[in-house]
Amino acid sequence: MFPVLESAEIERVRRFGKIQSYSTGEALATVGTVSGGLTIVLAGTVDVARRDEYGRHTAIVTQGPGNFLGELAQLAGRPALVDAYARESVEALIIPPDHLRALLIAEAELGERIMRALILRRIGLLETGAGGPVIVGRAGNGDVLRLEGFLQRSGHPRQQLDPETDPEAKALIDRFHVDVGQLPIVLCPGGQLLRNPSEAELARCIGLVGPIDPNRLYDVVIVGAGPAGLAAAVYAGSEGLSVLVLDCRAFGGQAGASARIENYLGFPTGISGIALMARAYNQAQKFGVEMAIPDEAVRLDSMGDAGNGTFTLKLSNNESARARSIVIATGARYRRLAVEGLASFEGTSVHYWASPIEAKLCGGQEVALVGAGNSAGQAAVYLAGHVSKVWMLARGADLAASMSRYLVDRVTSLPNVEVLTQTNVTSLEGHDGILEAIRWRQGKSGQEVRRPLRHLFLFIGADPNTDWLSGSGIDLDSKGFVLTGAGNGTSGQQLGTSRHGVYAIGDVRSGSVKRVAAAVGEGAQVVAALHADTLNPIKSSVKSASEGALVQK
Ligand SMILES: Cc1cc2nc3c(=O)[nH]c(=O)nc-3n(C[C@H](O)[C@H](O)[C@H](O)COP(=O)(O)OP(=O)(O)OC[C@H]3O[C@@H](n4cnc5c(N)ncnc54)[C@H](O)[C@@H]3O)c2cc1C
C-alpha cells in the first residue's frame, strides 16, 4: 500500500510533474478539495490523517522521501478523502491527473505498482469510511438504504450513524437543528449539509460528478456503465478516442448486483460483480475516460446536428453532451411483481439487489426470494450465508429449466434454502413501508400460505431500458430491444442501429446473449466501428423517425 520509489524511478517520472515546496504545517491535501495530483515526496516528511465529522484527526501514515501520496480520487481529479500536512519542510513532485494517467501507461511495471497502491488505499478508506459523507438516519430507513447503496456501488467511503443508538448522531442532529422527521441528513466532507438528497445531489456535493461541457465534441458518448459500456470505454480509451460514459444509477449495471459471477473467463474462484466492475471502472479512468455518474440520458436528438455528423444527448438535469458517435449500452431493468401495494415496501422490505447492505439488514431472519434464473440462484446462495432461512419461490415446475446446473446443485444442497415450485405470491401485508407477512399460492393444490416475513427479494428478469430512445429514429423490436446489423442497420455494421454513427451493445441489443462475457465482447467489438466514424465523420447521420420501419414497443 505504501511502496518506496527508488531514485532512478523518480528520475524517470520527473517529466510528468512539477516540483513544489511546502513549509512546516502546510497542507498538501485537504478533505473535500481537489488536490494537485499524485504527490511524490522528494525531501521531508508528510503526515496523512483521516478526519471525522467533528474535525478530529486519526493518523493513517507518515510518508517520507520516495513515498507518494494519493489514492483513486487523484486518478480522476476528484476531491481528496484525507488530510496531508508537511511535518517539516517538504519538497515534492506533483503529477496532475492527466499526466498521472500518461505515466501509468508509459511506465508499465512502475505504473502497476502505483495503480495497485491507489486501489489498496481506496479499499482501506472504504473499510473505515474515511473521507466520505456521514449519513445520519435510522438503519433500516428506505432513504438511508438508498444513499448507502449508491455510495457502496460507487466505491465511495461512507459512514452511517443511527440516532436511536449512536450518541454522536444525536449530537449532530442537535448541532444542525434538524427535526427527526427530516432525516436522513448527509454531512459532506466539505461541510455542506444535505436533507434527504437524491443520489445526483449527493454525487455533486462530494465531487463524484461535475458539469458536462456542452461545447466539447467527444469521439463517443457511451450511455450505460454496465459491463458492455465499460468494456467499450476501456477499448475506446485505450485506442486514444475521447470518451464520455453516462449512467443514471452507478457503474456496474446488472452485473454489479451479482453476488458472485462464476462463469466469467479467467476467474476460477469466481468474483463478485461489483469487484469485477470496479476494476473495469478504474481501468477506463486510467485510459482517460470521463465519467458522468449519475447522469441520465433522456433523449437522443432526432435529426443529428444538421448534416455535420454529430449527435446531441439531452440529460435529465437539462445538460447536454455532444459526440461523433453514440453507443447505447443501457441494458435492462429489473421486473416488478404484479401484487398490490408492492411500491410502498420497495427500498425497505422489497429488494432487487442482494448486497452486503441487504444481508446485514436481514441478518438472522427468514426471507422470501422470487425467481428461478441464475441471478435468483446466486442471490439465494449469498443470502443463505447471512439469514436463517430462504424461501425460494419459483413459478415453474423445475429450476433446471431456467438455472445453470451448477447453481441448481448448489441451491438445492443448502440446508436453509427451501425451494417451492409452481408458487406465486398473492399478497403483501404490512404498515409504513415495513412488510409483516407474505401470502403465496403453492404447488398443484393451489393452497394459500401466510408467512410472517419482513423481507422479499425479487429476481424475475428484466425489460430493456429503451424508453429514452422514443422519437430518436432508432428501430426497436417488438419487445423494445434495439435492432442492429444487416437488414436493420443502415451502416450494415453488425452492431450498428438504424442510424449511422449510433451503435447498440449488450443486453439492450435485440438478440444478444444476456451474459457478462457477451456484453464485454460487444463492447470491445464496437470500437472498430467507432474508429472508422472518427476517421471518416459521417456527413449525413440523419434518418428521421418517420423513415424506415420504426417498430413501436
Ligand atoms: C443479479 C444478477 C446476476 C447475474 N449473474 C450473472 C452471471 O453470473 N454471469 C453472467 O454472465 N451474467 C450474469 N448476469 C447477467 C449480466 O449481469 C448482464 O447480462 C450484463 O450486466 C449486461 O450488461 P450490459 O452492460 O449490457 O447492461 P446492464 O448491466 O444492464 O447495464 C446497463 C446500465 O445502463 C444504465 N442506464 C440505463 N438507462 C440509462 C439512461 N437512460 N441513461 C444513463 N444510464 C442508463 C443502467 O443504470 C445500467 O447501469 C446477472 C444479472 C443479474 C441481475
Side-chain angles (χ1 to χ4, degrees), residues 218-262:
Y218 290 90
D219 288 329
V220 55
V221 172
I222 299 169
V223 189
L230 288 178
V234 166
Y235 286 97
S238 68
E239 299 280 321
L241 301 182
S242 59
V243 186
L244 174 70
V245 177
L246 305 169
D247 198 292
C248 57
R249 295 190 73 203
F251 69 79
Q254 297 168 76
S258 172
R260 187 148 287 268
I261 298 176
E262 307 224 25

Side-chain angles (χ1 to χ4, degrees), residues 66-92:
N67 288 135
F68 55 86
L69 315 177
E71 57 87 50
L72 286 176
Q74 277 64 56
L75 191 61
R78 301 221 169 92
L81 299 175
V82 295
D83 289 323
Y85 293 99
R87 182 184 276 203
E88 56 197 327
S89 298
V90 165
E91 191 179 70

Side-chain angles (χ1 to χ4, degrees), residues 195-212:
R195 288 166 203 270
N196 196 9
S198 65
E199 288 92 317
E201 283 170 321
L202 176 58
R204 270 169 213 276
C205 190
I206 59 179
L208 270 182
V209 62
I212 293 173

Side-chain angles (χ1 to χ4, degrees), residues 150-435:
F150 168 68
L151 291 168
Q152 190 215 3
R153 288 198 294 279
S154 304
H156 199 85
R158 65 180 193 280
Q159 286 183 68
Q160 188 257 321
L161 299 179
D162 188 335
E164 283 176 17
T165 53
D166 196 321
E168 292 211 349
K170 280 202 193 104
L172 283 172
I173 291 173
D174 293 343
R175 190 168 111 194
F176 290 104
H177 310 290
V178 178
D179 191 81
V180 178
Q182 294 175 316
L183 293 178
I185 54 166
V186 181
L187 302 179
C188 296
Q192 306 91 326
L193 172 82
L194 304 177
R195 288 166 203 270
N196 196 9
S198 65
E199 288 92 317
E201 283 170 321
L202 176 58
R204 270 169 213 276
C205 190
I206 59 179
L208 270 182
V209 62
I212 293 173
D213 179 354
N215 299 316
R216 172 148 187 214
L217 181 63
Y218 290 90
D219 288 329
V220 55
V221 172
I222 299 169
V223 189
L230 288 178
V234 166
Y235 286 97
S238 68
E239 299 280 321
L241 301 182
S242 59
V243 186
L244 174 70
V245 177
L246 305 169
D247 198 292
C248 57
R249 295 190 73 203
F251 69 79
Q254 297 168 76
S258 172
R260 187 148 287 268
I261 298 176
E262 307 224 25
N263 54 3
Y264 189 67
L265 192 72
F267 291 87
T269 54
I271 182 166
S272 79
I274 197 72
L276 182 66
M277 291 298 102
R279 286 169 190 226
Y281 175 73
N282 294 331
Q283 196 175 8
Q285 293 194 89
K286 181 176 110 175
F287 289 119
V289 170
E290 287 181 33
M291 301 284 176
I293 304 176
D295 262 349
E296 182 178 10
V298 288
R299 207 174 71 237
L300 175 61
D301 59 353
S302 59
M303 297 300 285
D305 285 0
N308 67 2
T310 66
F311 299 93
T312 302
L313 267 179
K314 296 284 179 212
L315 311 185
S316 60
N317 58 8
N318 289 328
E319 287 187 336
S320 56
R322 292 178 61 228
R324 292 192 173 88
S325 307
I326 301 287
V327 173
I328 302 167
T330 45
R333 63 174 172 272
Y334 45 73
R335 242 174 239 151
R336 292 186 155 83
L337 203 61
V339 285
E340 212 181 308
L342 181 84
S344 65
F345 299 111
E346 283 176 331
T348 41
S349 293
V350 170
H351 313 281
Y352 298 89
W353 296 66
S355 77
I357 294 178
E358 288 79 18
K360 190 171 152 207
L361 195 69
C362 308
Q365 304 174 45
E366 293 196 3
V367 302
L369 187 154
V370 181
N374 280 0
S375 55
Q378 287 174 9
V381 172
Y382 175 70
L383 287 169
H386 298 85
V387 302
S388 63
K389 174 153 185 163
V390 180
W391 294 93
M392 188 165 187
L393 315 180
R395 205 171 42 181
D398 184 7
L399 282 188
S402 48
M403 194 183 289
S404 297
R405 188 71 246 171
Y406 81 93
L407 266 175
V408 176
D409 292 343
R410 199 168 292 173
V411 165
T412 49
S413 70
L414 288 166
N416 63 340
V417 177
E418 185 162 340
V419 180
L420 304 177
T421 53
Q422 295 178 301
T423 299
N424 291 298
V425 172
T426 49
S427 65
L428 306 175
E429 296 172 16
H431 296 286
D432 303 327
I434 310 292
L435 201 55

